[in-house]
Amino acid sequence: MQKNNSKSGGKNKSTHFESSLNELENIVTRLESGELPLGDALSEFERGVQLARQGQQKLQQAEQRVQMLLNDSAEDATLVPFTPDTE
């Protein structure tokens, strides 16, 4: 089993997301070419839908983590408007 609590675990997840996105882009290119037989095109389309759903889920999870971090930060500090130094 893989441990997900190490720093490299996050990198592997990111790499997996990137490779899935790359695979999805390749599927779209093959489908848009119009050169696949119908059966192959349907299989590719199914795989593309699966990858798109997985990607959507990963992005939603990342968004939730960011939101949690922002909420935690908001409790620890108050926000003040930024004013640049004039020096």
Side-chain angles (χ1 to χ4, degrees):
M1 279 190 184
Q2 259 187 330
K3 292 183 181 179
N4 288 336
N5 59 356
S6 68
K7 288 184 181 181
S8 63
K11 187 175 182 181
N12 287 337
K13 287 181 183 179
S14 176
T15 303
H16 179 71
F17 177 79
E18 295 295 330
S19 65
S20 295
L21 185 59
N22 189 40
E23 183 181 352
L24 182 57
E25 290 172 348
N26 290 333
I27 288 171
V28 169
T29 300
R30 287 193 299 273
L31 289 172
E32 286 179 340
S33 75
E35 296 177 9
L36 291 174
L38 181 59
D40 292 345
L42 284 173
S43 294
E44 290 287 297
F45 181 76
E46 285 179 26
R47 177 67 179 149
V49 169
Q50 180 184 31
L51 288 169
R53 288 180 179 158
Q54 289 172 357
Q56 179 86 24
Q57 185 179 25
K58 296 272 187 209
L59 289 174
Q60 286 174 343
Q61 290 170 350
E63 183 178 3
Q64 288 173 348
R65 286 183 65 194
V66 168
Q67 192 63 40
M68 286 174 39
L69 290 170
L70 290 175
N71 287 340
D72 288 346
S73 296
E75 293 173 5
D76 296 337
T78 57
L79 296 176
V80 295
F82 174 75
T83 54
D85 293 333
T86 56
E87 293 178 15

